[in-house]
Amino acid sequence: MASALWVRSASSEETARQLRAQWANPSDILSVLLIIGGDVIQAALAQLSGGVLTPVTFSFGWVAYSVSALLSAVGNNKLMPVSPDYSSVVINAKNGYIRVNESWVLGRVLRDYDYWMPGSVRAESKRMLTEARRARPGISVNRTGLCVSVFEASEEGGKKAGVPVHDWVWFSGLGVALLQLGIASIPIGLHGEWHILVITACGTILAFASGAFPQWATEKWFCRKRCTKDVVLTKGNGSQYAIVILGKGIGLDLEDLAAAEGIALPSTRYLTFLLAMLWLVLLVTAAGLKVNTWYLLGVGSIGMVQNVIVAGASRRPSAFGVHLKYKESIFRPKVMETLMDTEKRYPHVGRSLLATFFPGCLKGSEKEWWVKAEDEAILYDLVLVNE
């Protein structure tokens, strides 16, 4: 009996010793953490890529991402997410042709509209909602009417279509990378250990290199430029907002961009294979660390937080290379009223939205109005041609 108790006590002490050792220097967990979260890395790269420097920091998940990127490169040879994370349609404002948006960039532009919406539009929306609630006190009203916001392509401040403007999201990567290198340097001063700094520096270089592929820019802005085409970006029937973008001869062809075709560069396959091998080497190296591993965990955790913030952060269109200048908004309590007023100010635009927001039959008076509006739009086109 005493012998059995002694064995149990020794086993418990050994378990406690192993737990203390694991929490003192958690080594095996690093190899596990490095292979989860690859989808977050891809979304963060999609947000910031397109230039020579893409500051998506070293964190957990890079090994998983490098393997999935290699798989994609071997298949369709694409780096951007397969489909946008926010559904929308792009409507040709001239002929009303509707195209389901496949562009990740345009999906994010519309998703973040509530973030970059002009203050006057937000104020008008609140005013109309307040009036609607007063008119219907016994009913819960959450939105009203349709708002058509008109923007035009802009080159103010030397901006160029397809060249993103760096914002706080982009600069956060540089700041976090410096912080990570600072944390990784602590073991050198305290223990004379330089391994953490080397792994962090190598991870940062590989992370920045992964976002520097020319393929990113090719996929994100694969469309004609300096376009005169006008388009409407909206979520579709039932949406409260529609964004009209006038090309003005200086913008991107957003109808082209919505197709998200892109060109597969042969070099991408070789570069992704090389980086996948280097990430695996770094994984094996990190898994071999037995001391001062908390510093590396700290570095990876900070990087993971930055990656998550970058992947989901709301941004202005200029950060995606779509530079816009606000003109006006047309907001009426009734959707049909909004479309009619839009057609009066911008011939063809209101009619292009008709099939989306009114797919059924129109009333007799509405049909007559739109027939007359079409005739006026044709006359307007003839005047422009003769000028």
Side-chain angles (χ1 to χ4, degrees):
M1 186 62 139
S3 176
L5 290 174
W6 182 84
V7 170
R8 290 179 182 177
S9 176
S11 177
S12 297
E13 290 179 0
E14 177 62 18
T15 300
R17 185 191 67 78
Q18 291 178 358
L19 288 174
R20 285 195 298 270
Q22 176 65 16
W23 280 101
N25 289 292
S27 56
D28 294 338
I29 191 66
L30 287 173
S31 58
V32 176
L33 290 174
L34 282 172
I35 60 175
I36 60 175
D39 53 340
V40 175
I41 301 296
Q42 185 185 34
L45 285 169
Q47 280 266 57
L48 300 184
S49 61
V52 177
L53 181 61
T54 303
V56 177
T57 55
F58 169 56
S59 69
F60 308 128
W62 271 103
V63 175
Y65 165 73
S66 66
V67 174
S68 64
L70 178 60
L71 177 62
S72 178
V74 171
N76 61 6
N77 199 16
K78 297 293 180 67
L79 296 175
M80 290 290 290
V82 175
S83 59
D85 54 5
Y86 191 82
S87 61
S88 58
V89 294
V90 175
I91 304 171
N92 187 306
K94 179 74 172 180
N95 56 36
Y97 177 77
I98 302 172
R99 172 172 288 177
V100 176
N101 175 49
E102 298 293 339
S103 168
W104 193 90
V105 170
L106 289 182
R108 280 300 177 101
V109 168
L110 185 60
R111 189 206 72 166
D112 297 343
Y113 182 59
D114 189 61
Y115 170 75
W116 59 271
M117 178 190 302
S120 60
V121 177
R122 196 183 305 278
E124 181 66 11
S125 177
K126 290 181 179 179
R127 185 189 68 79
M128 293 190 64
L129 184 59
T130 301
E131 290 181 356
R133 287 172 175 171
R134 287 175 181 172
R136 309 173 73 181
I139 302 176
S140 177
V141 180
N142 297 318
R143 64 181 183 179
T144 180
L146 171 67
C147 178
V148 175
S149 298
V150 182
F151 297 82
E152 60 183 19
S154 172
E155 290 184 335
E156 291 183 357
K159 298 174 182 176
K160 293 183 178 181
V163 179
V165 172
H166 296 159
D167 57 359
W168 70 268
V169 180
W170 190 91
F171 285 107
S172 70
L174 298 180
V176 171
L178 292 175
L179 177 61
Q180 288 177 308
L181 292 173
I183 293 174
S185 300
I186 295 176
I188 298 178
L190 296 180
H191 313 288
E193 294 285 345
W194 48 267
H195 307 85
I196 305 296
L197 179 60
V198 171
I199 291 176
T200 302
C202 290
T204 300
I205 292 172
L206 291 178
F208 283 17
S210 298
F213 293 175
Q215 179 84 24
W216 287 108
T218 301
E219 289 187 42
K220 288 181 78 170
W221 300 292
F222 184 74
C223 63
R224 287 168 287 186
K225 298 178 174 62
R226 309 201 70 80
C227 180
T228 59
K229 187 183 296 182
D230 304 333
V231 301
V232 183
L233 183 61
T234 181
K235 191 170 176 62
N237 192 326
S239 176
Q240 188 176 8
Y241 299 102
I243 303 173
V244 177
I245 301 177
L246 309 177
K248 291 293 182 181
I250 58 176
L252 300 173
D253 187 333
L254 300 184
E255 194 175 20
D256 266 3
L257 188 62
E261 290 293 337
I263 294 178
L265 302 179
S267 60
T268 302
R269 286 192 171 94
Y270 305 109
L271 292 174
T272 51
F273 176 79
L274 175 62
L275 281 178
M277 295 301 101
L278 293 175
W279 277 114
L280 289 174
V281 170
L282 191 67
L283 171 64
V284 173
T285 304
L289 284 178
K290 301 300 180 183
V291 295
N292 298 321
T293 51
W294 273 112
Y295 294 104
L296 192 56
L297 273 173
V299 167
S301 298
I302 292 172
M304 181 175 64
V305 171
Q306 192 263 350
N307 293 166
V308 170
I309 291 174
V310 167
S314 297
R315 309 176 77 194
R316 298 184 178 277
S318 286
F320 296 107
V322 182
H323 310 298
L324 305 175
K325 180 181 178 182
Y326 176 64
K327 287 195 66 178
E328 63 172 328
S329 286
I330 304 167
F331 203 170
R332 301 292 180 266
K334 299 293 185 180
V335 176
M336 182 60 76
E337 294 176 358
T338 301
L339 297 185
M340 287 179 172
D341 281 359
T342 301
E343 183 68 16
K344 291 176 183 177
R345 301 186 194 185
Y346 302 93
H348 299 293
V349 177
R351 186 176 184 81
S352 71
L353 295 172
L354 197 59
T356 297
F357 289 94
F358 288 92
C361 296
L362 301 178
K363 298 177 182 178
S365 59
E366 292 173 343
K367 288 182 179 179
E368 292 177 3
W369 193 97
W370 284 107
V371 169
K372 182 180 179 181
E374 184 177 10
D375 293 338
E376 293 177 351
I378 294 173
L379 181 61
Y380 174 81
D381 291 341
L382 291 175
V383 172
L384 288 181
V385 171
N386 293 327
E387 286 183 351

